[in-house]
Amino acid sequence: MNTNQTNTITFQTTELLKKHMRFIATMQQIFGVIFIIAGSFTCLGIISAIIGIPQIIAGVKLFKSGSAFSLAASLQKEDDIIAAIENLYGYWKYFLITFIASVIFLILYIAIIITIFSSLANGYY
């Protein structure tokens, strides 16, 4: 199997598709900025930076994907759609890292709270 073999995908761009791509681009850029800002606030804590840094990277990837979708809708160059999909892939990868880290921290937080309350309850008996 040759992994260097390239396949070609072609599609017709209609005005409706261009409109949808521009909307996707705008939403990705807006949410990319929101993710970057939220990640910056998350990085204010030393331990929470483990969640914040991948969140910032995910936001940057989402913003870049939106920019590439916008260019693809305007210029209709294949390089732009490739960049959009590659950055969208990067976004989902870093979002998954952020999600997993958040779940782990939530579980640890709940375990610490239960431990504290159980130790306090044992002191009153």
Side-chain angles (χ1 to χ4, degrees):
M1 182 171 142
N2 185 3
T3 58
N4 293 325
Q5 180 182 359
T6 59
N7 296 323
T8 303
I9 298 174
T10 59
F11 57 92
Q12 300 269 336
T13 56
T14 62
E15 288 304 314
L16 183 61
L17 179 63
K18 290 178 193 177
K19 181 180 175 184
H20 290 171
M21 288 174 66
R22 284 188 204 100
F23 177 77
I24 290 169
T26 302
M27 295 309 295
Q28 285 182 329
Q29 288 176 327
I30 290 169
F31 278 92
V33 170
I34 291 170
F35 261 65
I36 292 168
I37 293 169
S40 300
F41 283 122
T42 306
C43 283
L44 292 177
I46 295 171
I47 296 174
S48 62
I50 294 171
I51 297 171
I53 292 171
Q55 189 173 8
I56 292 171
I57 296 170
V60 169
K61 295 282 188 182
L62 189 61
F63 186 85
K64 285 182 179 180
S65 177
S67 298
F69 266 118
S70 180
L71 286 173
S74 301
L75 304 176
Q76 299 179 7
K77 291 173 45 182
E78 69 181 46
D79 293 339
D80 295 328
I81 196 76
I82 291 168
I85 293 170
E86 286 176 350
N87 281 309
L88 192 57
Y89 163 78
Y91 161 74
W92 282 112
K93 183 172 63 173
Y94 283 101
F95 181 82
L96 181 62
I97 293 168
T98 303
F99 179 75
I100 291 169
S102 298
V103 168
I104 290 170
F105 274 108
L106 179 66
I107 291 169
L108 287 173
Y109 177 72
I110 290 171
I112 290 170
I113 294 298
I114 290 172
T115 304
I116 290 171
F117 280 130
S118 67
S119 67
L120 289 174
N122 287 337
Y124 289 114
Y125 290 120

